[in-house]
Amino acid sequence: MASGWTLPAPRELEVHGQNVGERWTAFKLAWNNYALAQGIGGKEEEIQVATLLTVIGEEARAVYSTFQWADRADATKIAPVLKKLEDYCRPRKNIPFERYKFNKRQQLQGESYDQYKTALRKLAQTCEFDSITPDEILRDRLVFGVTDAKVRERLLRETKSLTLERTDEVCRAAESTFEQLKIVEKSDGEPVVQTLSRRGIPPRAQDRIQKRGGSAKPVRQTRECGNCGWDHDRGACPAYGKTCAKCGKTNHFARRCRSATKNEGRELNEVEEEQEEVYVTGRRERKWRGLD
């Protein structure tokens, strides 16, 4: 007399989102037990595949329909179908990252020792610890120990092809490039020291230069300055604050004086006591010799 009890099918496989590989492992285990209990393994290949596709769920069936087969007959054979599904759900492993996850896994709050041990054992299954070598241990530590996030990202993209030698090559090249770029940037951005004779730079110009920190590109005069007679950065006229030897007014030199003649007997090109001040304005070097 039948009991009326039927063996429940495995839960449908979700093939999108995170942890697809773990969900595939759980589904495959459930499928193998279900197929054994139902005697599916002794049936024809087409029936086995049809049963699998029935219980696996709509998402996985949609994925199955996209598979390309070298031999079309493989689409109705259980072993090739399971292999295709596994390759889809468990893409190429990144062994260093799998070991990183294992090493970073801590016991969670409220997690028992046995639960923690089981979680670690599951993580260890993808780490290939059975074949680990000293070079691989060193490589893994280097990958996650380097401070440059871009270098780490590049190393992680290497996956199975990443050896200790390749790690050395990538890291050394990145370090060398970084040092070379520092030299280039320093050369490109190195300010040129300008020298002003006479009484130096006007106070307002000094304040502006200080605020810029010497890094801002100076704004150049478009023509010869009418107060000093030279081409210079805007706001950095050496005549600012000076007294004209010709008219006695300020902020221009006698050679550019536009007032009526005063103190005609004074030497227009009189050289005052020279006081040089050094400041940073940009990349071009100019020197004013201290002529009024």
Side-chain angles (χ1 to χ4, degrees):
M1 182 176 176
S3 63
W5 180 83
T6 57
L7 186 67
R11 292 180 58 182
E12 292 185 358
L13 175 63
E14 298 178 22
V15 295
H16 303 301
Q18 297 181 340
N19 303 320
V20 179
E22 294 178 11
R23 290 199 293 271
W24 165 255
T25 300
F27 175 84
K28 187 177 180 182
L29 177 62
W31 162 256
N32 288 337
N33 290 332
Y34 178 77
L36 179 63
Q38 294 287 79
I40 296 174
K43 298 181 180 180
E44 295 180 1
E45 292 271 2
E46 292 88 346
I47 296 177
Q48 295 184 53
V49 172
T51 306
L52 172 66
L53 295 178
T54 299
V55 301
I56 203 170
E58 185 176 349
E59 283 188 3
R61 283 195 296 273
V63 170
Y64 167 83
S65 67
T66 66
F67 290 155
Q68 301 294 319
W69 306 92
D71 183 352
R72 185 58 193 168
D74 287 344
T76 56
K77 294 180 181 178
I78 192 66
V81 170
L82 287 172
K83 181 65 168 60
K84 282 276 191 180
L85 288 168
E86 181 162 354
D87 290 344
Y88 180 88
C89 296
R90 304 182 70 173
R92 186 171 54 177
K93 291 184 295 184
N94 189 322
I95 300 302
F97 184 66
E98 295 299 319
R99 291 172 182 170
Y100 171 79
K101 290 194 298 182
F102 175 85
N103 290 323
K104 293 292 288 186
R105 178 62 159 88
Q106 302 291 330
Q107 188 174 12
L108 304 177
Q109 188 70 31
E111 185 178 43
S112 70
Y113 167 77
D114 286 327
Q115 290 173 325
Y116 178 48
K117 181 181 177 182
T118 300
L120 285 178
R121 188 177 294 278
K122 287 178 64 178
L123 289 173
Q125 290 175 353
T126 58
C127 293
E128 299 185 4
F129 284 133
D130 55 332
S131 60
I132 194 170
T133 66
D135 277 2
E136 289 177 331
I137 296 174
L138 179 56
R139 176 203 61 189
D140 295 348
R141 190 70 222 109
L142 288 167
V143 168
F144 295 102
V146 294
T147 56
D148 193 323
K150 291 184 178 179
V151 174
R152 186 184 305 114
E153 179 184 349
R154 180 177 177 183
L155 291 171
L156 286 173
R157 287 201 301 265
E158 299 277 342
T159 59
K160 279 188 173 297
S161 63
L162 184 64
T163 62
L164 179 59
E165 291 74 17
R166 177 60 179 161
T167 303
D168 291 343
E169 180 182 339
V170 171
C171 292
R172 286 169 180 161
E175 192 174 75
S176 175
T177 301
F178 178 74
E179 293 299 325
Q180 291 169 2
L181 284 175
K182 283 202 310 186
I183 295 173
V184 172
E185 290 170 0
K186 182 179 178 182
S187 175
D188 288 346
E190 187 175 11
V192 177
V193 174
Q194 293 187 350
T195 303
L196 282 185
S197 300
R198 307 286 298 187
R199 292 180 184 171
I201 309 165
R204 284 192 301 183
Q206 293 179 11
D207 291 341
R208 291 175 188 172
I209 293 165
Q210 243 182 351
K211 288 177 182 177
R212 287 202 300 256
S215 60
K217 186 176 180 180
V219 180
R220 306 296 301 175
Q221 295 278 14
T222 58
R223 60 177 180 270
E224 190 177 86
C225 176
N227 294 324
C228 68
W230 296 310
D231 176 25
H232 56 72
D233 296 342
R234 185 169 297 171
C237 179
Y240 179 81
K242 302 299 189 300
T243 300
C244 175
K246 183 176 180 182
C247 69
K249 296 179 181 180
T250 58
N251 300 332
H252 67 275
F253 291 148
R255 64 201 298 258
R256 287 291 174 179
C257 183
R258 293 180 289 276
S259 300
T261 304
K262 181 180 179 181
N263 299 328
E264 288 288 348
R266 294 190 62 175
E267 176 63 46
L268 297 185
N269 291 328
E270 177 184 14
V271 178
E272 300 176 356
E273 179 181 355
E274 187 172 38
Q275 176 186 354
E276 290 193 341
E277 295 188 20
V278 177
Y279 73 109
V280 176
T281 59
R283 307 181 190 283
R284 296 176 60 188
E285 180 179 359
R286 291 182 173 274
K287 292 186 179 180
W288 287 272
R289 294 299 182 184
L291 297 178
D292 283 350

